[in-house]
Amino acid sequence: MPGQRESQLRQSGRLFAALAVLRLAAGADDKLRTLDDSDTKTHPQGRIDKARGDLYALLVKARVNNGGKNWEAAAAAFRSIPDFLEKGNVPHGGLSPAAFAEFKAGYDAQITTFRDKFSQLLS
């Protein structure tokens, strides 16, 4: 698992990235959800709640939209989700600048991993 030694905040950032890629692959979002550096007050759980939606419906959309062109990316993002919950629940509450940086570092690392595998989707 990629996040076994990572902090809960970093794993939460990876989880947010996986959900963002799944939504993009399904066509539920027109562009990749990112983390706005000026919005450090929104806690990880709030961001994830807004991104997750109905995971089954997102998978189905990815399978049928565009002839399933983004299916592999959607499936990989979906399969990665349990890895990012290894440390437990996603943190609640506002983030200090250092905590936000940790959350964002996890997001950036996971987006890079997905971008390496699915450059067509994340170019």
Side-chain angles (χ1 to χ4, degrees):
M1 286 186 254
Q4 284 183 332
R5 294 192 180 125
E6 293 181 324
S7 70
Q8 189 177 26
L9 277 168
R10 192 173 287 242
Q11 283 188 353
S12 296
R14 286 183 180 271
L15 174 60
F16 181 72
L19 291 170
V21 169
L22 176 55
R23 292 185 63 82
L24 183 65
D29 289 342
D30 294 334
K31 62 181 184 170
L32 182 67
R33 289 179 184 226
T34 60
L35 295 175
D36 180 359
D37 290 342
S38 66
D39 182 16
T40 60
K41 300 290 185 218
T42 304
H43 57 83
Q45 184 64 54
R47 292 173 193 266
I48 288 167
D49 285 348
K50 289 179 184 174
R52 72 173 182 224
D54 181 339
L55 296 177
Y56 173 78
L58 290 171
L59 283 172
V60 170
K61 280 182 81 171
R63 189 67 176 148
V64 299
N65 285 355
N66 297 322
K69 155 180 131 175
N70 296 324
W71 171 246
E72 285 185 43
F78 178 81
R79 286 186 192 112
S80 71
I81 290 171
D83 293 346
F84 308 133
L85 294 169
E86 177 210 5
K87 298 237 181 214
N89 292 338
V90 175
H92 292 278
L95 299 177
S96 69
F100 180 78
E102 184 75 5
F103 180 65
K104 188 171 186 319
Y107 172 86
D108 291 341
Q110 193 59 37
I111 289 299
T112 298
T113 298
F114 285 133
R115 189 169 278 130
D116 290 345
K117 293 179 183 176
F118 308 108
S119 58
Q120 291 175 231
L121 178 65
L122 298 171
S123 55

